[in-house]
């Protein structure tokens, strides 16, 4: 009996060590992701002002697309990966075990990502607006259509609503994030729509 008790104690110690390693790993990954976001925000701040020349504007938009594909999107995937791991730890925590610090860390990481994303979206919006003014309506339209397609794909890939309170809470945060994304893009969509209507009106007007 004493031997069995010793084994149980050892197993509990091993479980605690594994849990600590998992939590430490998530905190370390969150810190690394936060540092990456800070670096990307510095990159965005260092971008040259939006140009008025169509050729320079096209180069700036291409640079923005490369930045998004090569830096912003990989960072977003890493943030989502860390968030998934954190949700797993939070939802699997034993009753009575505080997950406040981990939840706070994830909220801080989400806030950092939202701040970066807002700057990226603002840059894209200003470039699109400038291209519209330079007669590049089609490029701006394709940009918005791509965003719509990407957002529809993200919505389609959402997990079904959970009956677990902790996981449902994380799903609510994900829902709020998507609502902010839609809200942030509303201005760009309205601008494209307005220019499209104006172009149609001009095309239909008698010479």
């Amino acid at each position: 009996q004493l031997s069995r008790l010793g084994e149980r104690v050892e197993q509990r110690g091993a479980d605690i060590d594994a849990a600590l390693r998992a939590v430490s790993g998530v905190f370390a990954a969150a810190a690394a992701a936060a540092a990456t976001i800070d670096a990307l925000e510095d990159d965005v701040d260092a971008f040259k002002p939006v140009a008025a020349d169509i050729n320079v504007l096209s180069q700036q938009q291409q640079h923005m697309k490369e930045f998004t594909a090569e830096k912003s999107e990989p960072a977003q995937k890493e943030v989502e990966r860390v968030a998934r791991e954190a949700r797993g730890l939070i939802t699997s925590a034993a009753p009575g075990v505080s997950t406040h610090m981990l939840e706070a860390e994830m909220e801080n990481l989400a806030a950092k990502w939202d701040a970066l994303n807002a700057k990226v979206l603002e840059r894209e919006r200003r470039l699109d607006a400038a291209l519209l003014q330079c007669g590049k309506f089609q490029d701006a339209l394709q940009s918005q259509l791509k965003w719509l397609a990407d957002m529809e794909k993200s919505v389609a890939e959402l997990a079904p609503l959970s009956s677990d309170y902790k996981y449902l809470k994380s799903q609510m945060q994900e829902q709020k994030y998507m609502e902010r994304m839609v809200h942030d893009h509303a201005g760009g969509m309205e601008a494209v729509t307005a220019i499209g209507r104006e172009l149609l009106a001009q095309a239909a007007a008698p010479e």
Side-chain angles (χ1 to χ4, degrees):
Q1 187 174 4
L2 182 61
S3 176
R4 288 197 300 272
L5 179 60
E7 290 176 356
R8 290 175 60 187
V9 170
E10 287 184 9
Q11 183 59 49
R12 180 171 176 77
D15 291 342
I16 291 174
D17 287 343
L20 286 173
R21 285 195 299 272
V23 172
S24 296
V26 169
F27 273 103
T36 297
I37 292 172
D38 288 340
L40 293 182
E41 193 165 0
D42 289 341
D43 289 344
V44 174
D45 290 340
F47 286 157
K48 293 182 179 180
V50 173
D53 179 81
I54 186 66
N55 294 324
V56 178
L57 272 172
S58 297
Q59 293 173 2
Q60 288 181 325
Q61 189 175 60
Q62 180 60 34
H63 179 238
M64 197 66 212
K65 290 178 180 178
E66 292 172 357
F67 175 85
T68 299
E70 297 172 7
K71 295 184 177 182
S72 182
E73 289 180 355
Q76 180 181 5
K77 290 179 180 179
E78 178 62 13
V79 169
E80 291 172 350
R81 184 191 68 80
V82 174
R84 283 195 301 271
E85 290 186 6
R87 283 198 300 269
L89 292 174
I90 291 169
T91 56
S92 64
V97 174
S98 175
T99 59
H100 175 73
M101 289 184 63
L102 188 53
E103 290 180 21
E105 185 71 12
M106 290 303 100
E107 290 176 0
N108 178 62
L109 184 61
K112 274 183 170 292
W113 172 254
D114 286 346
L116 171 64
N117 193 52
K119 287 190 174 185
V120 171
L121 288 173
E122 175 61 17
R123 175 75 174 183
E124 290 176 344
R125 185 196 66 78
R126 293 182 62 195
L127 286 170
D128 284 345
L131 284 168
L132 285 172
Q133 293 172 1
C134 292
K136 296 290 290 183
F137 169 76
Q138 189 61 36
D139 286 350
L141 177 61
Q142 290 301 320
S143 175
Q144 295 297 338
L145 290 175
K146 180 182 183 301
W147 177 83
L148 280 173
D150 291 342
M151 179 57 71
E152 287 178 354
K153 181 180 178 182
S154 297
V155 171
E157 292 174 351
L158 287 175
L161 292 179
S162 173
S163 59
D164 181 274
Y165 173 75
K166 291 181 179 178
Y167 194 77
L168 184 60
K169 184 177 179 181
S170 70
Q171 288 182 317
M172 289 175 63
Q173 292 177 339
E174 189 173 35
Q175 174 69 20
K176 290 179 181 178
Y177 167 73
M178 286 195 165
E179 288 175 354
R180 287 197 298 271
M181 288 277 289
V182 172
H183 179 269
D184 290 340
H185 273 81
M189 293 295 293
E190 290 172 0
V192 172
T193 301
I195 296 298
R197 288 173 178 168
E198 184 177 338
L199 291 174
L200 287 175
Q202 291 174 358
E207 295 185 0

